[in-house]
Amino acid sequence: EIRYNTFAGEKNIGWWDLDSQWLEWKVDVETAGKYDVSLRYSRPGEVSTGLGLVLGGATMTTPVPGSGGWDRWKAARTPRHGDHGAWS
């Protein structure tokens, strides 16, 4: 069950723990070009996992290593080149 909540004063999406769970955002890109897609996250331990991103029909996987605890944040980034228009 994915939940929107607040932890340590930060709004976040939590309890995302099954491969079958997913979220979708739609973004309107005004100018074609190279963009960094980034995700700020926290997760216990140091075990790395991957995050699959589907942008404009292209699937990318970016590593998401453990951040060391729920109150320690890291960022995962992946470059993406795209045309203008809606991305989801």
Side-chain angles (χ1 to χ4, degrees):
E1 172 185 342
I2 298 173
R3 299 183 215 166
Y4 180 75
N5 65 46
T6 302
F7 178 81
E10 298 284 338
K11 293 181 180 178
N12 65 79
I13 299 165
W15 288 270
W16 191 341
D17 56 2
L18 298 175
D19 289 342
S20 62
Q21 294 173 320
W22 58 275
L23 295 172
E24 180 177 3
W25 288 270
K26 294 189 181 197
V27 179
D28 187 27
V29 178
E30 294 184 17
T31 305
K34 182 178 177 185
Y35 294 89
D36 280 334
V37 177
S38 63
L39 167 73
R40 184 173 176 248
Y41 70 94
S42 69
R43 53 189 301 268
E46 292 298 327
V47 177
S48 184
T49 187
L51 174 68
L53 299 172
V54 180
L55 299 169
T59 301
M60 296 164 281
T61 302
T62 188
V64 180
S67 66
W70 293 119
D71 58 347
R72 294 189 177 132
W73 299 92
K74 285 190 175 183
R77 291 185 174 86
T78 185
R80 169 75 166 106
H81 185 275
D83 296 326
H84 74 285
W87 288 4
S88 61

